[in-house]
Amino acid sequence: MASSGNFLLVFALATLIFVVAAWDVGTRITLDQHGIRNSSIKALIATASASGYDKGASTVEFVKENYSSSQMTNELDGADQPNNSSSDSREAGLSIEKICYDKCENIASISVQTTEESVQLLGTSAKPTRRRLEEVKREKRDKRAVNPGQQDDEVIIKPENAAVERSKAVDSAFLGKYSIWRREFDSESSDSTVRLIRDQMIMARVYSSIAKSKNKLGLYLELLRQLKESQRALGDASTDSEIRHSVSQRIKEMGQFLIKARDQLFECKAVTRDLRSMLQSADEQVRGLKKQSTFLSQLVAKTIPNGIHCLSMRLSIDYYLLPPEKRKFPRSENLENPNLYHYALFSDNVLAASVVVNSTIMNAKDPQKHVFHLVTDKLNFGAMNMWFLLNPPGEATIHVENVDDFKWLNSSYCPVLRQLESSAMKEYYFRANHPTTISAGSSNLKYRNPKYLSMLNHLRFYLPEVYPKLDKILFLDDDIVVQKDLTGLWSVDLKGNVNGAVETCGESFHRFDKYLNFSNPHISQNFDPNACGWAYGMNLFDLKVWKKKDITGIYHKWQTLNANRSLWKLGTLPPGLITFYGLTYPLNKSWHVLGLGYNPSIDPAKIKKAAVIHYNGNMKPWLELAMARYRPYWSKYITYNDPYVQTCKLTSVYSQS
């Protein structure tokens, strides 16, 4: 038994020696397979084998205790690898613990297998030893399964703290990338330097392109060289922690060279001067184009389309071919009857006047009670008569007059005619030294309109003289459309005022200060600049009160004061505001909706509700520049079956709208 026990003891020692040797050889083979031949790491493994390190701890713990992370990495730096790239070294450094851990497991397995084989040779006497080895193996496995991360705090914390301190002291891009405890990772702007380098590189590319285009090859080549240097310094870095500290010098050099390149490529003072010159030139061009636009829009707005001119000419020819007895309108006895509804319409546009009359009669409840007083000029007198002789307004009464037949309307009585005959006014309108270009001298183009030379425009201030037997009259412009019966206006109480009109003022527009010159004491001392303006186009005038207040005399007074146009520019609305100041009664806005000649955004509901819609502005419905959305309200009252309308091709122009 004693000899048998000695034999077993000797055999166990031999087995242990064999296991340790096998572990050492296996570890060396594995390290060689990973390209790790450094003697220090191999010595570490050998030391672990020879020292009989605590059997309850893993080889990984031994490595952590004896080697810091920085030392391990430094050992990897010197490894003789087939590919000496930093990525391979890092992979080797990161996997060293796994290698050792796996090798220890393999060796433990070999040790158990070898021991089991030896015990089998000894027979049944070796069973207790085998059971003990199996229990040890099971305990280790269970321990790892229950809490694989549980390790001694002192063993873990000490090496990590030491590694942190060493990593802070080492100036290495490699270490900076993998030392996750470095403070650079705490910064919110961790890529500010990288972005600065990239911005410099972008600017360098731009400057190099400009330098090449300006044939500055020396500067171009130097920019390319600087660009390559910055690219080399940046590498593949995406955060500041991945670039070397020496890159700050590269940034400084690149910045200085970019300043130099800018000074060579651009003369800032010259560029500023050129830009100011270009801005001034562009501003002058814009002003010129605006003047041209104003001129052309006024020109288009005041010209007569070919179709309407054709209509007027053909009607005039045929009218003067009529015998005198066929030129008279019926029901002339109604012209001075104050109990009927009288309208005043002053126009030189046959088609526009026909739409006003047609729309009024078609929407009237009692057409036979309506009387239309039309006044036109000598040129259109025949055409206007011929049209309404051929197209009478049903049972309504109509009468056409020529403004030139009003002999009382002369320069001795009317200040406007007197001013139009003056040399100053002729110089203003007809002077020979007018600018030859349409963009020059066009600030008053609106007021150099031919309509301001026509007494048709100023005749509205002489209504009692034109219609002395009437008490009330409704004045209508020729660019309106009547959509409802208007007889209700005659029952409106004007509260002793002369003029019933729809006000047009808003919070800060269409008030007196827009139309009158309040720097003139005649205006500033007699009128409120914030007084509300109103619109011509549909106005109910009480001619009895007119005569009592001597409205025409007031008009003459202010028109005389404005001989030099210092109180207002030419036109009829400013003198109307002055003449009827304090004598205008505001009508409900639904009676008269304005803006269809310039405003594209009028509410359709307001248009539909309005009794009268007004195409005030340049976009008259009979012109090509009329707004298509508003034209149908006007064009539906054209008499398309009239032979003159068809001959002048007006049907094809307006029936499609």
Side-chain angles (χ1 to χ4, degrees):
M1 291 295 294
S3 61
S4 176
N6 292 334
F7 173 76
L8 288 174
L9 180 60
V10 171
F11 182 79
L13 290 173
T15 301
L16 180 59
I17 293 171
F18 173 78
V19 169
V20 172
W23 185 88
D24 181 63
V25 172
T27 303
R28 292 176 184 274
I29 292 172
T30 303
L31 292 175
D32 288 342
Q33 289 175 349
H34 284 78
I36 302 174
R37 299 185 179 88
N38 191 284
S39 58
S40 299
I41 295 178
K42 293 178 180 180
L44 173 63
I45 302 301
T47 304
S49 303
S51 62
Y53 186 70
D54 181 12
K55 298 179 179 59
S58 67
T59 307
V60 176
E61 296 168 356
F62 178 82
V63 172
K64 279 190 175 182
E65 184 172 332
N66 290 272
Y67 258 59
S68 67
S69 62
S70 59
Q71 288 174 318
M72 186 68 69
T73 307
N74 288 332
E75 295 296 342
L76 290 171
D77 285 342
D80 183 15
Q81 302 178 30
N83 183 5
N84 194 22
S85 65
S86 60
S87 62
D88 291 339
S89 300
R90 289 193 291 269
E91 290 176 3
L94 290 172
S95 61
I96 185 62
E97 293 184 357
K98 184 177 182 302
I99 293 171
C100 296
Y101 184 89
D102 292 343
K103 186 54 63 178
C104 291
E105 290 294 317
N106 293 337
I107 292 173
S109 177
I110 293 171
S111 175
V112 172
Q113 292 174 4
T114 306
T115 305
E116 289 176 350
E117 292 173 358
S118 301
V119 171
Q120 287 177 359
L121 293 174
L122 295 176
T124 57
S125 60
K127 289 183 180 180
T129 304
R130 184 177 61 185
R131 283 196 299 270
R132 180 175 177 81
L133 290 173
E134 288 177 352
E135 290 175 358
V136 171
K137 180 179 178 181
R138 190 182 302 109
E139 289 176 359
K140 289 184 178 181
R141 188 185 300 111
D142 294 342
K143 183 178 180 180
R144 286 195 300 271
V146 172
N147 193 357
Q150 185 177 2
Q151 296 180 356
D152 182 54
D153 292 341
E154 187 177 352
V155 173
I156 297 174
I157 295 174
K158 272 187 176 182
E160 289 182 350
N161 289 340
V164 171
E165 295 301 324
R166 278 191 290 272
S167 67
K168 291 179 180 179
V170 176
D171 182 14
S172 170
F174 183 83
L175 292 179
K177 184 168 184 177
Y178 287 99
S179 297
I180 62 172
W181 304 287
R182 296 284 293 271
R183 292 188 177 276
E184 286 82 348
F185 288 89
D186 296 335
S187 175
E188 294 182 0
S189 302
S190 59
D191 61 343
S192 59
T193 304
V194 171
R195 285 189 282 110
L196 176 59
I197 298 173
R198 289 175 178 169
D199 289 345
Q200 287 183 335
M201 292 169 64
I202 292 172
M203 188 60 66
R205 291 190 183 96
V206 173
Y207 283 171
S208 65
S209 177
I210 298 173
K212 187 176 181 180
S213 66
K214 292 187 175 183
N215 202 28
K216 295 188 177 184
L217 298 181
L219 180 61
Y220 170 72
L221 295 175
E222 181 61 21
L223 282 166
L224 292 182
R225 190 188 69 79
Q226 293 284 344
L227 189 60
K228 289 180 181 179
E229 291 292 332
S230 294
Q231 181 64 61
R232 188 179 296 110
L234 180 62
D236 297 330
S238 59
T239 60
D240 293 354
S241 60
E242 299 175 18
I243 58 178
R244 299 180 182 276
H245 295 297
S246 58
V247 80
S248 58
Q249 183 62 28
R250 172 92 288 271
I251 294 174
K252 182 178 180 181
E253 292 175 0
M254 177 61 100
Q256 292 174 348
F257 189 78
L258 288 176
I259 294 174
K260 178 182 176 182
R262 183 194 63 191
D263 294 339
Q264 292 186 28
L265 294 173
F266 305 106
E267 295 182 8
C268 293
K269 292 183 178 180
V271 171
T272 303
R273 184 175 61 253
D274 292 343
L275 288 175
R276 286 178 178 173
S277 176
M278 292 170 60
L279 182 61
Q280 184 177 2
S281 176
D283 187 54
E284 291 176 355
Q285 291 180 12
V286 169
R287 286 199 298 267
L289 291 173
K290 285 183 177 180
K291 290 181 179 180
Q292 291 183 25
S293 176
T294 301
F295 176 86
L296 294 174
S297 62
Q298 293 292 332
L299 183 64
V300 172
K302 307 313 171 188
T303 54
I304 299 296
N306 288 336
I308 296 179
H309 180 70
C310 167
L311 179 65
S312 179
M313 292 297 99
R314 289 182 178 273
L315 288 169
S316 295
I317 293 172
D318 290 347
Y319 174 75
Y320 290 109
L321 293 176
L322 290 176
E325 63 271 12
K326 291 186 178 181
R327 298 180 184 179
K328 295 181 180 180
F329 291 99
R331 295 181 290 276
S332 59
E333 67 277 5
N334 292 335
L335 296 177
E336 295 182 349
N337 185 350
N339 297 320
L340 301 179
Y341 305 113
H342 294 266
Y343 299 86
L345 176 61
F346 307 149
S347 175
D348 57 0
N349 187 325
V350 176
L351 190 64
S354 71
V355 169
V356 174
V357 174
N358 288 346
S359 63
T360 304
I361 295 302
M362 292 175 66
N363 292 286
K365 294 179 179 178
D366 297 313
Q368 67 277 9
K369 294 183 179 181
H370 294 260
V371 181
F372 292 91
H373 302 268
L374 270 71
V375 180
T376 187
D377 55 16
K378 181 165 52 178
L379 181 63
N380 294 283
F381 178 72
M384 199 74 73
N385 275 279
M386 189 64 181
W387 175 267
F388 288 106
L389 285 171
L390 296 174
N391 300 281
E395 298 178 356
T397 303
I398 192 165
H399 181 63
V400 179
E401 296 180 273
N402 181 0
V403 67
D404 295 322
D405 292 338
F406 298 152
K407 301 304 180 182
W408 52 267
L409 198 61
N410 51 54
S411 58
S412 61
Y413 175 67
C414 179
V416 172
L417 285 176
R418 187 164 55 250
Q419 292 167 6
L420 289 175
E421 293 177 357
S422 68
S423 59
M425 190 66 70
K426 289 179 180 179
E427 176 69 12
Y428 180 76
Y429 274 104
F430 308 110
R431 60 186 178 185
N433 60 343
H434 268 174
T436 57
T437 61
I438 62 177
S439 62
S442 58
S443 59
N444 294 321
L445 280 175
K446 179 179 179 181
Y447 305 105
R448 289 197 174 102
N449 194 298
K451 75 175 184 178
Y452 297 120
L453 298 176
S454 172
M455 276 309 298
L456 282 177
N457 203 42
H458 294 269
L459 194 60
R460 64 192 68 189
F461 294 104
Y462 300 94
L463 291 177
E465 284 86 346
V466 179
Y467 311 110
K469 301 291 183 67
L470 301 181
D471 295 334
K472 282 186 177 182
I473 194 167
L474 186 65
F475 173 80
L476 299 176
D477 273 344
D478 62 358
D479 56 352
I480 63 102
V481 173
V482 178
Q483 300 187 127
K484 295 183 179 181
D485 181 66
L486 300 180
T487 56
L489 285 169
W490 274 265
S491 61
V492 173
D493 184 5
L494 297 181
K495 309 290 185 184
N497 292 294
V498 180
N499 175 26
V502 171
E503 294 183 335
T504 58
C505 60
E507 292 182 358
S508 60
F509 55 90
H510 287 187
R511 296 185 180 273
F512 272 41
D513 58 354
K514 177 183 177 180
Y515 305 100
L516 304 176
N517 179 19
F518 276 85
S519 63
N520 189 296
H522 289 295
I523 298 297
S524 60
Q525 293 174 9
N526 291 280
F527 304 100
D528 179 8
N530 293 318
C532 191
W534 45 268
Y536 272 124
M538 189 208 72
N539 305 82
L540 182 66
F541 292 110
D542 189 328
L543 300 183
K544 285 186 175 181
V545 181
W546 183 307
K547 295 173 185 177
K548 291 180 181 179
K549 300 288 186 182
D550 190 19
I551 298 300
T552 303
I554 297 174
Y555 165 70
H556 283 174
K557 169 191 171 183
W558 286 101
Q559 190 67 50
T560 302
L561 290 173
N562 193 47
N564 59 357
R565 302 181 303 281
S566 61
L567 305 184
W568 69 84
K569 299 294 183 180
L570 293 178
T572 55
L573 182 56
L577 296 176
I578 290 177
T579 301
F580 297 103
Y581 182 67
L583 298 172
T584 299
Y585 178 80
L587 298 175
N588 189 290
K589 292 184 182 296
S590 64
W591 282 110
H592 187 191
V593 170
L594 299 101
L596 278 74
Y598 68 89
N599 185 2
S601 59
I602 302 176
D603 186 357
K606 289 184 177 180
I607 296 177
K608 185 177 180 180
K609 184 181 178 182
V612 172
I613 56 175
H614 194 173
Y615 292 82
N616 58 313
N618 289 332
M619 300 179 183
K620 302 299 183 185
W622 55 84
L623 299 176
E624 291 185 5
L625 52 76
M627 284 181 275
R629 61 181 301 186
Y630 299 145
R631 178 179 274 174
Y633 297 109
W634 179 85
S635 61
K636 68 181 181 180
Y637 292 105
I638 296 176
T639 309
Y640 290 108
N641 60 356
D642 182 84
Y644 291 94
V645 171
Q646 294 176 354
T647 301
C648 294
K649 300 180 180 180
L650 293 173
T651 302
S652 59
V653 174
Y654 300 116
S655 62
Q656 298 176 359
S657 59

